[in-house]
Amino acid sequence: MARRAVEQELSRERILEAARHLFVTKGYRAISMRSIGQHLGYSHGSLYYHFKEKAELFYAIVVEDFNNLAVQLKKVIKATPVQDLTKVEQLMIEFIRFGLDHPYQYEIMFMIRDEELLSYCRTEQGRCLELFASIVRRYMNEDTHGPDFCRNLPLTLFLAMHGFISYYIQDRVTFEEVKPAAMTHVKICCECLR
């Protein structure tokens, strides 16, 4: 009965959101299950109902965030074409939008520097890059550009998006605030595909 009451009061989603914020703002090592519980107004014991340890909680955040990004990228493929944007440009714009509108998630996904935590992120980063690359390659013409170009361009575009996000994320601006700059950046990056 007590566990059921805790589950109803303190959801997994609330824990993930609070932990994500604390990990980014204070650092993974500075945060304990106890401090997350205190931040939420609960004992740390109530967190253990959902997560066995801090590392499991961190990995759950990483997986959830990468899954959310994958859903957004896949929506681009199914969406109606946007005037004056190719599918690759739409894909890049959506990636940039996600990064700037979800800065805490993006920082955990791609900007964490802690060696221990990188092991949790690398696999998911690789899957994300492969999804992005597979979508980009659908819209490339190997006969026109050659196999080396087609193999290397997705990573180049990915790094260009990451650089853009990394530059603007420090100022905590939203995508809408820098949309013209994002559109120009993406258009220049994709000029080689025209």
Side-chain angles (χ1 to χ4, degrees):
M1 184 85 148
R3 280 189 172 185
R4 192 172 303 149
V6 168
E7 183 179 10
Q8 290 171 355
E9 292 176 3
L10 185 59
S11 70
R12 178 180 168 89
E13 291 73 30
R14 278 187 64 203
I15 296 169
L16 290 172
E17 192 58 39
R20 179 184 293 113
H21 174 74
L22 291 170
F23 288 153
V24 169
T25 58
K26 303 208 185 272
Y28 177 80
R29 295 191 190 283
I31 298 301
S32 64
M33 292 294 268
R34 182 178 306 278
S35 62
I36 296 168
Q38 287 172 343
H39 180 79
L40 290 165
Y42 289 88
S43 74
H44 67 284
S46 58
L47 302 180
Y48 290 111
Y49 176 74
H50 297 280
F51 302 99
K52 293 178 188 164
E53 60 185 8
K54 183 171 74 166
E56 180 185 350
L57 171 56
F58 182 82
Y59 188 65
I61 290 169
V62 169
V63 168
E64 179 181 78
D65 292 343
F66 274 103
N67 286 341
N68 289 338
L69 177 57
V71 166
Q72 295 307 312
L73 297 181
K74 289 174 183 176
K75 280 182 183 177
V76 169
I77 301 309
K78 295 176 184 174
T80 306
V82 176
Q83 186 177 10
D84 298 328
L85 288 177
T86 67
K87 279 291 185 180
V88 172
E89 290 168 341
Q90 285 178 263
L91 186 69
M92 291 178 70
I93 290 294
E94 191 55 43
F95 188 94
I96 291 170
R97 179 189 315 274
F98 178 90
L100 294 177
D101 288 347
H102 302 94
Y104 295 126
Q105 290 89 332
Y106 192 85
E107 287 177 354
I108 284 177
M109 294 163 70
F110 293 104
M111 300 175 79
I112 205 94
R113 293 175 194 216
D114 188 301
E115 285 300 317
E116 178 186 343
L117 301 181
L118 276 174
S119 65
Y120 291 110
C121 297
R122 286 293 184 211
T123 301
E124 299 303 321
Q125 288 173 351
R127 286 185 189 144
C128 181
L129 176 56
E130 189 47 47
L131 172 63
F132 178 78
S134 69
I135 295 170
V136 169
R137 286 186 190 113
R138 286 186 211 169
Y139 299 97
M140 295 178 70
N141 184 342
E142 194 170 299
D143 295 335
T144 304
H145 297 102
D148 285 342
F149 182 87
C150 291
R151 185 175 46 257
N152 294 314
L153 183 65
L155 177 59
T156 299
L157 295 177
F158 192 86
L159 294 173
M161 293 181 307
H162 177 65
F164 186 91
I165 295 166
S166 298
Y167 180 78
Y168 283 103
I169 205 169
Q170 315 170 67
D171 298 326
R172 293 292 190 240
V173 296
T174 65
F175 174 77
E176 288 302 318
E177 291 174 289
V178 295
K179 185 176 180 178
M183 299 294 277
T184 300
H185 179 71
V186 167
K187 288 285 189 186
I188 291 169
C189 290
C190 291
E191 189 64 35
C192 59
L193 292 174
R194 298 194 194 293

